[in-house]
Amino acid sequence: MKLSILFLLVLIFQVQGILAQDPLKHPKKIYVSPQGRIFVQKSLPLYLRLATSPNENGPSTLLKSEITTKYSNPMYLDTEGYNTFRSPSQVDTVTKIAKYPAEDIVFEVYADSRPPKTSVKFGNAKTYLKKEKTFIKGNVNLTFHTLDEMSGVEATYYSVNGENFKIVTGEIGFSEEKEYLIKFYSVDNVGNVEEIKSLILVIDKTSPKTSMLIKGDNYEKIFSARTSVGLVSEDFSSGLARIVYDLDEQGVRPYKSPLYASFLSQGDHKLVYYAEDNAGNIEEQHVFDFYVDKTPPTLVQEVVGKTFFANGKEFSSGRAQLKITTFDNKAGVKEVYYSINKQEYMLYDKPV
């Protein structure tokens, strides 16, 4: 029983979600503008009535055609826009005498079968379009602009994330960082309904994140000439637009490939870098200070014990030892290796 109730509730919510995406009911109708023009939805059937009084509630008679019965009651307008009903000869309303030369009496009616056209404006917000999604850096107020060439716009409607359609009464604000599905349409004064349009809006307030990839010799921010620095950035919303860097205050430039210490002078250096995404979010600057060391260590060797020189050679007893002392200007000595009589190099850790 519980499963049946749960299934029914899910079905009700699904149906409500589907109905929320349908436009509201808008009947086709006749509209009289403030200027007195009469607009008719072009597909409506028309009937003409005669009255002897301007009183809308007064008696009237349905006008019938004797020679075009087939095409009257109802009749339909064939022309989009301007149409007329005519009676030959204008008669002076005071003297009741026909005007000469004869001119028709003309009643104007405007047929309208074309729906409005609605567009969305984002104000001054910077937008970025990616895979049919519109990304915006921060808060935004949407405005809907609708044009109708004939009877004019009655109203514009919108729905956000499957909600029921509501009438647009002003700007619509979005500030929460997430994705919105916005549907909208307009209806004109005679009931022509625009097809529903959709907009996927993504509020993106998160900046990219950039990290360094150091390859080669690196000891406490001291690089050898064999070291390179790469920059890698990622953005999970609008996507990465660019990475830029400034090396030793020489000016900001786009990052395209790793920076090699071999092209830098020995000494202190300063690298500033950051990234920007397609929505315009800019990462906070990263500052990395490092030193390029191109000077190799200095080796000093000495024989500990009794020695003497003869004929350009140094002689020692079997108890003498070879001691190696090393010096380095910056990074310090990591390891020392030695080889005797062209044998394989071995790690030096004490006098030999």
Side-chain angles (χ1 to χ4, degrees):
M1 183 65 179
K2 291 183 178 179
L3 289 176
S4 299
I5 295 175
L6 179 61
F7 174 77
L8 180 61
L9 290 174
V10 171
L11 181 61
I12 291 173
F13 285 128
Q14 288 178 341
V15 171
Q16 288 179 342
I18 294 173
L19 294 177
Q21 301 307 302
D22 293 332
L24 304 177
K25 301 298 182 182
H26 302 282
K28 298 176 181 179
K29 58 187 178 180
I30 295 175
Y31 168 71
V32 181
S33 73
Q35 295 76 28
R37 283 188 172 183
I38 299 176
F39 295 87
V40 179
Q41 207 290 327
K42 188 171 179 289
S43 67
L44 287 175
L46 297 183
Y47 298 86
L48 302 182
R49 288 185 171 272
L50 287 180
T52 58
S53 168
N55 188 347
E56 292 184 0
N57 298 322
S60 62
T61 301
L62 183 66
L63 188 61
K64 298 181 180 180
S65 172
E66 297 180 6
I67 61 176
T68 57
T69 305
K70 182 179 179 181
Y71 302 101
S72 61
N73 296 333
M75 64 171 289
Y76 293 88
L77 298 178
D78 68 324
T79 304
E80 183 77 16
Y82 182 74
N83 291 263
T84 60
F85 297 98
R86 294 175 177 270
S87 174
S89 299
Q90 300 176 3
V91 176
D92 190 286
T93 58
V94 177
T95 64
K96 310 302 187 292
I97 298 174
K99 181 180 178 181
Y100 183 83
E103 294 184 31
D104 290 349
I105 297 175
V106 180
F107 297 91
E108 300 86 356
V109 178
Y110 297 85
D112 184 359
S113 66
R114 297 169 183 169
K117 295 180 180 179
T118 307
S119 60
V120 178
K121 305 295 182 183
F122 302 93
N124 296 324
K126 176 186 175 182
T127 62
Y128 175 74
L129 186 63
K130 173 186 176 184
K131 296 182 179 179
E132 298 183 350
K133 295 181 180 182
T134 299
F135 293 83
I136 291 181
K137 175 182 177 181
N139 303 346
V140 64
N141 292 325
L142 300 187
T143 56
F144 295 87
H145 293 257
T146 308
L147 297 176
D148 188 84
E149 298 176 350
M150 194 58 60
S151 61
V153 180
E154 180 181 81
T156 299
Y157 297 83
Y158 76 100
S159 168
V160 179
N161 292 340
E163 296 178 348
N164 291 325
F165 276 100
K166 296 181 289 186
I167 192 169
V168 175
T169 57
E171 294 182 344
I172 302 173
F174 297 90
S175 59
E176 185 178 351
E177 186 173 17
K178 67 177 186 178
E179 181 175 304
Y180 301 87
L181 173 60
I182 303 168
K183 295 189 174 184
F184 58 95
Y185 71 93
S186 295
V187 59
D188 67 14
N189 284 308
V190 297
N192 291 308
V193 180
E194 181 182 20
E195 289 188 6
I196 293 177
K197 296 179 178 178
S198 297
L199 166 68
I200 301 177
L201 176 67
V202 182
I203 301 297
D204 181 4
K205 297 182 178 181
T206 303
S207 303
K209 298 186 184 304
T210 306
S211 57
M212 289 194 311
L213 291 179
I214 300 175
K215 293 183 179 181
D217 306 316
N218 173 29
Y219 175 74
E220 295 184 351
K221 297 184 180 181
I222 302 173
F223 297 166
S224 76
R226 295 182 297 274
T227 307
S228 66
V229 178
L231 301 178
V232 178
S233 186
E234 56 185 10
D235 186 88
F236 296 104
S237 188
S238 59
L240 182 67
R242 62 175 186 152
I243 304 175
V244 296
Y245 73 96
D246 182 1
L247 182 60
D248 297 333
E249 299 182 349
Q250 295 180 0
V252 176
R253 61 189 66 186
Y255 171 80
K256 295 181 180 179
S257 59
L259 309 175
Y260 292 93
S262 59
F263 295 105
L264 302 179
S265 62
Q266 176 163 304
D268 292 307
H269 295 275
K270 180 179 180 181
L271 176 64
V272 179
Y273 61 94
Y274 61 91
E276 180 180 3
D277 66 16
N278 288 308
N281 294 300
I282 299 177
E283 180 183 19
E284 289 189 7
Q285 291 185 352
H286 299 271
V287 180
F288 181 71
D289 295 303
F290 62 99
Y291 185 94
V292 175
D293 182 3
K294 294 184 176 181
T295 303
T298 301
L299 296 177
V300 177
Q301 60 187 21
E302 60 177 316
V303 176
V304 180
K306 294 183 178 181
T307 65
F308 70 94
F309 286 88
N311 299 323
K313 294 181 179 181
E314 186 175 5
F315 293 86
S316 66
S317 68
R319 293 186 300 274
Q321 291 182 316
L322 177 65
K323 180 181 179 181
I324 301 175
T325 304
T326 59
F327 304 92
D328 189 77
N329 65 313
K330 185 66 178 179
V333 178
K334 180 181 181 181
E335 294 170 333
V336 178
Y337 291 86
Y338 69 96
S339 172
I340 298 177
N341 294 333
K342 298 183 180 181
Q343 295 180 7
E344 183 179 351
Y345 276 93
M346 293 183 293
L347 180 64
Y348 174 85
D349 57 358
K350 62 183 180 179
V352 180

